[in-house]
Amino acid sequence: MDDRRLAAIPQRLRASWLRSERYGVPEDEVRPVFTGTVDTSSLFYECGHEVLRGLHATLSNEPISLMITDSDGLVLTRLCTDPAIVRSLDRVYLAPGFYFAETNAGTNGLGLALADRTATLVRADEHYCTGLRGYTCAAVPVVDPVSGALAGSVNLTTWSEQSSELLLALAQAAAGTTAALMLARASGRKARPAPRGEVFRVYADRVQPPKLSTAWTSAVATAAEAMLEGRVVAVTGETGAGKTALATLARRSVRPRERLLNARPPAPDDVGSWLRLWTPELGKADTCVVVSDVDALPAWAASSLAPLLSGFVLTATEALPEALAPLVDVVVEAPALRLRPDDILPLAHYFAHRDRGRDITFTSAAVRALLSYEWPDNTRQLRQVVRAAAARSDVVDVQHLPAEVFTSVGHRLSRLQVLERDEIVRCLTEPGATIAQASAELGIGRATIYRKMAQYGIKADQLRG
């Protein structure tokens, strides 16, 4: 690789070039991986394809190819009516069914956008492979507005000699519209809060943590043993499973007087200032940092953390970043809440006491509902449910719990269905309520209520004491 040419390109692109070289991507040939199947059943594809069709109609006379990829860089669809650019893109395999992640296609717009999770423009000679240097590519990642997971990317590609000033703005607008459409069709669920990159000190809890199941305590003990031996630990697990709590408890058991910080990932554009904020703390005596959700960090940021790894503990929901995975000595999984049902009630009392400052009582019906629910968002969801319920009463009964706790539906509900389900549960959880009373209040027949209860998976035996 020409060092002078490498030094002339921006830092993010330079880091991507170095990664491409490390992956063994050839500079003189585009050789992306091909798959025979493309999944077009996702909500992201449905919304993204609809948005790009509208944009394509507007740009039909322009030599621009509009593409959607999944989170792994697999091209799902390509919209373009310019014969010359279509033939050219086919020659470099930038077509549906081919993976254009950095790992197999080197530095390119969509690959870098996915790696760094931020809007990216790669012009002409900034591409790693010579075969791609005839193009300018603008790509923007799309994050699922509900789950916060990386859904894929929107990519616009044109000839390198074309003006690129508006290309990235168009890609950003298309990605933003796609995310907004996904939220509108996501059953009325609230958007996940944007990452804020908080860095704060972890203090000992004023409420004594409850004694939990063997599955949890064994995981804490495994992490603590590895930390005691000076090994680098990563805690993995589902969203909301308590990964940071597990890492904190393990560290506290090893070094109870240590200054412990938690760094949560920021939005991609704020990563630079976020790193500058807390990395100087690593050099201070008796200080440890728990870096949460490192799988959400841009690739360049993960690479920046690698030389400092001995000073902190990691958590991740998905796979560890490529730059960090080889440096981790021990991976400990935080068990999902549904796999340790004995912890649900102790945690419910703990969360209620922590928020209200005193003991809160749960009726037998409320306990039955809490224990029967699968808690798809794990401990985080339990904490939110208990906090809201305890704020309403010192004795939590079924009418203080949200409708979701009494239902089990394996598909998305529309906004109207969510309202209908919640109203049925509200009527049925009122003290002394019967099907006949709920029928009269809602103005629908009893047979209809039974049918709706079956449709929404409402568990009648948990609705009353």
Side-chain angles (χ1 to χ4, degrees):
M1 186 183 296
D2 187 336
D3 290 340
R4 287 178 301 177
R5 185 165 176 272
L6 184 62
I9 64 176
Q11 181 182 359
R12 275 187 63 222
L13 290 165
R14 185 160 63 248
S16 177
W17 272 50
L18 292 173
R19 290 195 300 270
S20 302
E21 183 179 46
R22 190 167 65 249
Y23 296 142
V25 178
E27 284 191 71
D28 57 351
E29 184 180 7
V30 182
R31 293 190 303 192
V33 174
F34 176 73
T35 179
T37 58
V38 174
D39 181 12
T40 59
S41 62
S42 68
L43 179 63
F44 163 65
Y45 178 86
E46 172 192 318
C47 296
H49 193 247
E50 183 176 325
V51 170
L52 287 197
R53 280 204 312 268
L55 183 58
H56 178 246
T58 304
L59 301 174
S60 58
N61 296 322
E62 300 294 330
I64 297 177
S65 171
L66 295 81
M67 284 166 273
I68 295 173
T69 79
D70 69 8
S71 59
D72 294 321
L74 173 65
V75 180
L76 302 177
T77 189
R78 185 183 71 187
L79 303 177
C80 184
T81 54
D82 187 287
I85 199 167
V86 167
R87 288 193 299 269
S88 179
L89 292 175
D90 283 343
R91 284 195 293 271
V92 295
Y93 311 108
L94 191 46
F98 287 90
Y99 285 95
F100 261 74
E102 275 187 344
T103 51
N104 49 55
T107 304
N108 67 88
L110 71 89
L112 184 53
L114 292 171
D116 280 354
R117 301 197 177 201
T118 191
T120 299
L121 183 68
V122 178
R123 301 179 178 88
D125 288 351
E126 293 174 343
H127 287 88
Y128 183 80
C129 295
T130 56
L132 298 177
R133 293 176 187 170
Y135 312 101
T136 289
C137 302
V140 180
V142 177
V143 174
D144 187 304
V146 173
S147 70
L150 182 63
S153 75
V154 170
N155 179 40
L156 274 60
T157 298
T158 188
W159 301 117
S160 59
E161 65 268 17
Q162 294 288 121
S163 173
S164 61
E165 297 304 317
L166 292 178
L167 202 64
L168 187 58
L170 286 172
Q172 288 175 308
T177 305
T178 297
L181 193 56
M182 289 174 69
L183 180 59
R185 295 179 180 175
S187 312
R189 296 163 66 191
K190 294 181 180 179
R192 182 186 179 92
R196 295 180 294 177
E198 300 101 329
V199 179
F200 55 88
R201 184 169 180 178
V202 180
Y203 291 91
D205 205 310
R206 69 181 190 277
V207 181
Q208 183 65 30
K211 182 175 176 59
L212 299 180
S213 63
T214 301
W216 176 263
T217 55
S218 294
V220 173
T222 300
E225 182 179 358
M227 293 173 186
L228 190 60
E229 295 171 354
R231 306 174 79 182
V232 177
V233 176
V235 180
T236 63
E238 297 178 7
T239 299
K243 299 182 291 293
T244 300
L246 192 154
T248 299
L249 285 171
R251 194 72 190 183
R252 285 274 185 237
S253 69
V254 174
R255 296 186 178 179
R257 297 185 180 277
E258 185 176 57
R259 181 168 173 263
L260 191 60
L261 305 178
N262 179 216
R264 295 176 179 172
D269 293 342
D270 297 329
V271 170
S273 56
W274 175 77
L275 287 171
R276 290 191 294 272
L277 176 65
W278 65 265
T279 49
E281 301 297 316
L282 294 173
K284 297 181 180 179
D286 296 322
T287 296
C288 178
V289 181
V290 177
V291 187
S292 300
D293 298 323
V294 291
D295 50 318
L297 292 175
W300 71 266
S303 299
S304 299
L305 292 180
L308 310 171
L309 202 55
S310 61
F312 49 80
V313 182
L314 309 176
T315 80
T317 302
E318 303 293 340
L320 290 166
E322 181 267 343
L324 299 176
L327 306 177
V328 172
D329 299 314
V330 176
V331 176
V332 179
E333 183 174 6
L337 187 57
R338 66 179 177 278
L339 302 178
R340 44 191 184 98
D342 291 345
D343 290 346
I344 293 174
L345 199 54
L347 285 172
H349 283 288
Y350 169 69
F351 292 142
H353 192 173
R354 191 172 65 175
D355 285 331
R356 291 294 304 278
R358 60 178 182 271
D359 290 337
I360 299 298
T361 303
F362 293 84
T363 66
S364 58
V367 168
R368 198 160 55 242
L370 294 175
L371 294 179
S372 300
Y373 190 54
E374 292 191 351
W375 301 105
D377 291 330
N378 291 291
T379 309
R380 179 183 301 167
Q381 185 183 15
L382 175 63
R383 184 173 65 244
Q384 293 168 345
V385 166
V386 169
R387 177 181 296 161
R392 297 175 61 190
S393 175
D394 288 343
V395 180
V396 174
D397 202 355
V398 289
Q399 69 265 27
H400 304 123
L401 300 176
E404 67 197 53
V405 173
F406 304 98
T407 61
S408 56
V409 180
H411 58 85
R412 295 194 304 269
L413 300 179
S414 68
R415 291 176 184 269
L416 185 59
Q417 288 174 324
V418 169
L419 290 172
E420 184 177 57
R421 178 203 66 185
D422 290 359
E423 272 298 285
I424 292 172
V425 171
R426 182 189 65 77
C427 290
L428 291 174
T429 53
E430 289 180 352
T434 64
I435 295 292
Q437 290 170 338
S439 172
E441 183 173 350
L442 293 169
I444 57 179
R446 293 201 300 178
T448 301
I449 286 190
Y450 282 119
R451 179 170 56 81
K452 293 293 184 181
M453 289 173 67
Q455 176 185 346
Y456 298 133
I458 298 173
K459 305 163 188 174
D461 60 330
Q462 296 171 18
L463 294 173
R464 58 185 66 87

